[in-house]
Amino acid sequence: MPDTKKLTRAEQKARRPVQILDAAFEEFVERGYVATRVEDIATRIGVTKGTVYVYFETKEQLFEAMIRHISTPLEDLLISGNELKGTATERLRKNIELIYDLIINDRKLRELMRFVIAEGSRFPHIVDRHHDIFIDPLERQMQSLIDEGVKLGEFRAAPAAFADAVVAPAIAFLFFKLLFDERRTLDKASYLEAHIDLILHGLLLKEPR
């Protein structure tokens, strides 16, 4: 029979870095960077401070790894966007819907955004690198889709054909969620349809059928 105790220890060791990163996220979000102590992160998952340092040599290295870890859904969003089929209009609509689904469903990503806004000025190089790795590719993907729509004759070659402007209402929605949480509600379905309607009327050469 297999030694299940050893197997369990091996599994625990394999999972340890992710457990540390998840615990670090909760501590950083709750306390801020300066007030967060490595020993508190360790205590949250029942290990020693030395165990954390086995995987992450410094608190700043842990912080940077945590941002990459929590940002994984942005990579998934990029992959999902690349796999979409249909017209440029259909893919643009679906891309926007995917962004809203991420904002609504991923608490950690929302809280990371709040944390970066509050603490990012302390670590501009980390925030810049996060933008280079995750945000820039998403913006390029969106702009490429819009440019394709222009070439195909679906979209106008107009100021509206600009990825940052297309995504901006979703960012405003995210900020509303961060500011008001559950104290005030903003109907996602209605807001999303208003966003898509606004964008398509700015881009389309003709009314959608």
Side-chain angles (χ1 to χ4, degrees):
M1 293 179 64
D3 190 334
T4 55
K5 187 174 183 181
K6 285 187 178 179
L7 181 62
T8 299
R9 285 176 179 172
E11 289 176 341
Q12 288 177 343
K13 186 175 181 179
R15 293 173 185 160
R16 188 68 73 207
V18 172
Q19 291 173 338
I20 292 171
L21 292 172
D22 285 337
F25 168 78
E26 299 297 344
E27 288 291 327
F28 282 130
V29 166
E30 182 179 330
R31 303 173 186 271
Y33 180 85
V34 172
T36 293
R37 303 184 307 168
V38 173
E39 49 262 52
D40 293 329
I41 295 170
T43 299
R44 187 178 275 269
I45 55 173
V47 300
T48 65
K49 180 170 67 172
T51 299
V52 176
Y53 284 126
V54 167
Y55 297 95
F56 307 99
E57 294 181 359
T58 66
K59 180 175 154 182
E60 184 169 340
Q61 186 184 92
L62 174 57
F63 169 68
E64 183 172 1
M66 178 274 294
I67 289 182
R68 289 198 307 270
H69 172 59
I70 299 301
S71 297
T72 299
L74 293 174
E75 276 188 302
D76 296 337
L77 179 63
L78 188 64
I79 293 169
S80 297
N82 282 328
E83 293 175 346
L84 293 175
K85 306 297 182 183
T87 66
T89 302
E90 291 167 343
R91 283 178 285 146
L92 180 62
R93 169 184 280 273
K94 186 58 179 177
N95 258 304
I96 294 173
E97 290 174 352
L98 288 172
I99 291 170
Y100 279 91
D101 287 343
L102 193 62
I103 291 171
I104 291 293
N105 297 325
D106 199 308
R107 178 191 72 88
K108 287 185 176 179
L109 205 58
R110 291 198 307 272
E111 292 301 322
L112 177 62
M113 181 62 70
R114 187 199 307 275
F115 180 80
V116 168
I117 291 170
E119 301 273 356
S121 61
R122 297 177 185 270
F123 312 99
H125 62 292
I126 294 177
V127 175
D128 288 346
R129 190 150 58 245
H130 172 266
H131 196 280
D132 292 342
I133 295 171
F134 296 104
I135 305 303
D136 278 350
L138 288 169
E139 290 181 347
R140 287 196 299 270
Q141 182 189 67
M142 183 70 78
Q143 189 62 58
S144 177
L145 175 55
I146 294 168
D147 293 343
E148 182 185 347
V150 172
K151 290 179 182 178
L152 292 171
E154 290 185 53
F155 301 153
R156 297 186 304 125
F162 179 50
D164 287 346
V166 170
V167 175
I171 304 302
F173 184 84
L174 171 60
F175 284 165
F176 185 95
K177 293 285 292 181
L178 291 176
L179 283 171
F180 297 110
D181 196 21
E182 300 302 324
R183 300 194 310 279
R184 297 184 180 219
T185 58
L186 186 59
D187 182 67
K188 177 224 173 184
S190 298
Y191 189 99
L192 171 59
E193 283 306 310
H195 179 176
I196 291 174
D197 183 69
L198 181 69
I199 295 305
L200 292 184
H201 276 81
L203 285 176
L204 288 176
L205 278 169
K206 57 184 179 180
E207 292 293 321
R209 295 176 181 176

